[in-house]
Structures are given as structure tokens and as C-alpha cells.
């Protein structure tokens, strides 16, 4: 959770990104998690075959 607080300051101060670029960079993680969640759910619901 500290990354959500400190991350924007690092992106703006140390890397010199503007506010929009820092926001888009911070938004990449949740977007990837949301996109990966659907296939992961489908894989977890598949029935397993008996040995």
C-alpha cells in the first residue's frame, strides 16, 4: 500500500514525469490485473479430470 502513496512522488520527483504520465503509469497495474483476472477465473473454474 505504501507504493500507492510514495509512487506518484517518485514518478514526478525522481523521474520527472508530468501528472498525466505518472497517473497513466500508476494505472497500468490495475488494468493488467483486471485483464488477467478474467482468464484466471475461467481457468480456475474448469473441472479437473480424474487421474
Amino acid at each position: 500500500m505504501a507504493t500507492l502513496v510514495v509512487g506518484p512522488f517518485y514518478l514526478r520527483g525522481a523521474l520527472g514525469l508530468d501528472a498525466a504520465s505518472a497517473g497513466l503509469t500508476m494505472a497500468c497495474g490495475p488494468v493488467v490485473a483486471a485483464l488477467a483476472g478474467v482468464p484466471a477465473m475461467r481457468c480456475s473454474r474448469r473441472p479437473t479430470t480424474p487421474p
Side-chain angles (χ1 to χ4, degrees):
M1 293 301 294
T3 305
L4 296 175
V5 175
V6 179
F9 295 108
Y10 174 74
L11 292 172
R12 297 217 47 214
L15 298 182
L17 297 177
D18 61 338
S21 298
L24 287 173
T25 303
M26 295 288 293
C28 287
V31 169
V32 169
L35 292 176
V38 174
M41 179 189 66
R42 289 183 181 159
C43 289
S44 69
R45 288 189 175 186
R46 287 189 183 157
T48 57
T49 56

